[in-house]
Amino acid sequence: MTPHPEPDSTPPVILMRGVSVPSQRDSSLIVAESIDWTVRQGESWVVAGLQGSGKTDFLMMTAGLIQPCAGTYEFLGCRMPIFEADRLQERLRMGMVFETGQLLHHLTVGENIALPLRYHHNLGPAEAARQLAPLVEMLELGPWLGSAPGTLGKGWQRRVGLARALALRPEVLVLDNPLGGLDPTHSRWWLALLAELSRGHPWLDGRPMTLVFTVADLRPWNGSGHHFAVLQGRRFIPLGSWASLEGQDEPALRELLATSHPAGKDLK
Amino acid sequence: MQAAHGTTFDGTGAEPPPHGLARLLGRNIFRFIFTIRGLGAFALITLGVMLAKWRSSGQLMRPAIREQIKRSGLTLLPMILFLSAALGFLVIGQAVSWLTRLGAINYLGSIMVLAVVRELGPLLAAFLVLARVGAANVIELGTARATGEVEALEALGIDPVHYLVAPRVVGMAVGVFALTVYLIIGALLSGYLWAFLQDVPLRPGAYLQQLAGALSGLDFALLGIKTLAFGFMVAIITCYHGLAQPLRLEQVPRATIQAVAQSVIACVLIDTVFIIIYLTV
């Protein structure tokens, strides 16, 4: 494994200053404002929020799919969003996993996974399949490669979306509610995989991945080494590690924990 | 509802007629202008992307283009052959009785060229492609837009115009052109068959001579340009309504209806331009 630079010696992966996020459905509606946030290389951030708090809009903006309506957002030093052709290489350093997978329904599962590799590296189907075989095996998607996405359950569709996002080996991965609606077996699988990606996965040559994901339930992340933030009432509040949540007197956090932790026991 | 000038209206909340009519007219004119502007911008963007990326991602895009040509051309061939037989019967059937009465049967070939080659052939082929593929385009792309597939492409750094629109534009332009050629050949042959069955004293050689005499080099050139323009326009309008604006699933049927209506109008307008060219050249 190649040595990695100290986290603080590199420029931030994500740098937001005074950013306001519009709603994707109605651009005149602001879902979060005055966001000051810095994500450094290799960090893993959990953004918690109740339903309707604007988590998906926030994540879409983070992924560059929505333009912030105020403030500045730089991704790896590039002003977002970066749709210009000459910024494509920077853009491909970030992958996104949608909550419902957002698979292309006119393609099979295998074609969905191979699409970014075939498009950006101009590969034939056989060569793309050969290069992606380890990823497909790692995500246990082999039996469904020839299936239509609509025949898969939501959990598996999301997993196909993860495979598609990882196909180009991005450095940063943003995930929208990765554990939403999953059974305990799938949830455990996702928790283990995200932890491994954060540490450094063989598919990424052992390079620790920068992760940002939204959640509606904090319980599965109890004691994890992630950074936490809360999105509530148009405010984005970076809070720090799980241990530091205990001392927080943030009303938004208390409200969120009252929902996800009935007696607040998991924090004690 | 009590109107400002004291007249009682029907309680539907409608404005007084003069103002309401003006507002309705104004709204529709503005909508028309915005649609034209949007379509023009979308067409230019699509052409720009096609020129800039015509060689990129060839291993993925070439099969996609082939698939669209097959969809807009080859799979519609049986229907086009049926239409060509019907068109030949229709034109010759009507023309023969009148030309016989006037003693002008020597103009049969000219009428076939005027009606089938210049006008009905290209229009029918374009309308068939619109009905069978164009409407499906709006539904497919509108659904993809509404379900977030377009955002997924953008997140993967894939240009939706390049990946989704460009193959359709090429496929429909080539499809309308090829189908028109088959439709014309089929209609000319079936037209002669119908004349033969009606005991018209016209030998195949004389019929072909009439056709050749009525056709000029300009006909071939304009036919090519017109059919490509029809296909391009139908593709642009249907893709624009499916892809170029945010859609919810329930808005897809309305977008489809709008796209089909505007495509028909656009084809007729293009046809009008070509009629003027035919008449002035």
Side-chain angles (χ1 to χ4, degrees), chain B:
Chain B
M1 178 183 162
Q2 194 71 22
H5 50 74
T7 312
T8 302
F9 294 101
D10 57 4
T12 57
E15 292 294 319
H19 297 98
L21 191 66
R23 194 170 296 169
L24 185 71
L25 197 65
R27 193 186 299 142
N28 281 328
I29 288 171
F30 268 108
R31 194 178 292 161
F32 176 76
I33 291 168
F34 281 126
T35 304
I36 294 288
R37 196 181 67 168
L39 280 171
F42 188 69
L44 289 176
I45 289 169
T46 304
L47 280 174
V49 168
M50 286 171 73
L51 286 173
K53 300 185 178 178
W54 71 282
R55 289 187 71 172
S56 65
S57 312
Q59 298 237 38
L60 179 69
M61 297 307 294
R62 275 195 298 271
I65 291 170
R66 275 199 297 272
E67 176 60 30
Q68 289 299 327
I69 292 175
K70 183 181 162 194
R71 189 183 182 211
S72 298
L74 202 59
T75 53
L76 301 184
L77 200 53
M79 177 62 93
I80 270 297
L81 291 179
F82 169 74
L83 280 178
S84 67
L87 188 63
F89 287 163
L90 188 128
V91 175
I92 293 290
Q94 292 290 339
V96 161
S97 61
W98 278 99
L99 292 179
T100 310
R101 279 185 222 174
L102 296 171
I105 204 70
N106 289 341
Y107 290 100
L108 203 59
S110 304
I111 285 181
M112 285 302 281
V113 168
L114 282 174
V116 175
V117 177
R118 288 187 177 176
E119 297 303 331
L120 294 178
L123 265 181
L124 261 181
F127 288 163
L128 181 70
V129 170
L130 169 64
R132 289 279 296 267
V133 186
N137 259 355
V138 191
I139 296 167
E140 284 170 4
L141 296 179
T143 309
R145 178 84 208 212
T147 55
E149 290 180 23
V150 175
E151 279 85 3
L153 286 175
E154 286 172 348
L156 293 166
I158 296 174
D159 184 346
V161 174
H162 183 217
Y163 179 66
L164 294 174
V165 179
R168 285 173 166 84
V169 169
V170 176
M172 292 179 93
V174 173
V176 173
F177 171 74
L179 290 178
T180 303
V181 171
Y182 288 119
L183 179 65
I184 288 171
I185 292 171
L188 294 180
L189 290 177
S190 75
Y192 181 77
L193 184 65
W194 183 246
F196 177 75
L197 291 175
Q198 285 190 311
D199 292 331
V200 174
L202 186 65
R203 297 159 72 112
Y207 179 64
L208 283 176
Q209 267 185 346
Q210 287 180 17
L211 291 177
L215 281 169
S216 67
L218 188 70
D219 278 310
F220 292 100
L222 291 182
L223 184 74
I225 297 169
K226 185 156 89 167
T227 50
L228 291 174
F230 281 165
F232 177 79
M233 214 50 184
V234 170
I236 288 294
I237 293 173
T238 53
C239 291
Y240 171 77
H241 281 279
L243 198 70
Q245 48 203 341
L247 275 181
R248 295 189 303 274
L249 272 178
E250 67 270 21
Q251 293 172 319
V252 174
R254 185 179 162 79
T256 309
I257 292 166
Q258 280 183 333
V260 170
Q262 288 176 13
S263 297
V264 170
I265 293 168
C267 286
V268 171
L269 289 177
I270 292 171
D271 202 54
T272 308
V273 171
F274 277 87
I275 286 174
I276 294 168
I277 294 172
Y278 278 124
L279 292 178
T280 51
V281 174

Side-chain angles (χ1 to χ4, degrees), chain A residues 24 60 65 83 88 91-92 94 96 98 102-107 115-116 118-120 122-124 164 168, chain B residues 53 55-63 147-159 162-164:
Chain A
Q24 196 188 12
M60 297 283 266
L65 300 175
F83 286 123
L88 185 65
R91 171 151 203 85
L92 295 182
M94 182 190 283
M96 175 158 186
F98 296 85
Q102 243 90 322
L103 305 177
L104 304 186
H105 282 79
H106 69 282
L107 302 178
L115 180 66
R118 291 195 61 197
Y119 185 85
H120 292 295
N122 193 21
L123 297 180
R164 191 176 61 180
L168 291 171
Chain B
K53 300 185 178 178
R55 289 187 71 172
S56 65
S57 312
Q59 298 237 38
L60 179 69
M61 297 307 294
R62 275 195 298 271
T147 55
E149 290 180 23
V150 175
E151 279 85 3
L153 286 175
E154 286 172 348
L156 293 166
I158 296 174
D159 184 346
H162 183 217
Y163 179 66
L164 294 174

Side-chain angles (χ1 to χ4, degrees), chain A residues 152-168:
Chain A
L152 270 62
K154 263 177 69 176
W156 286 102
Q157 286 194 30
R158 196 176 301 157
R159 208 183 279 202
V160 177
L162 173 67
R164 191 176 61 180
L166 288 176
L168 291 171

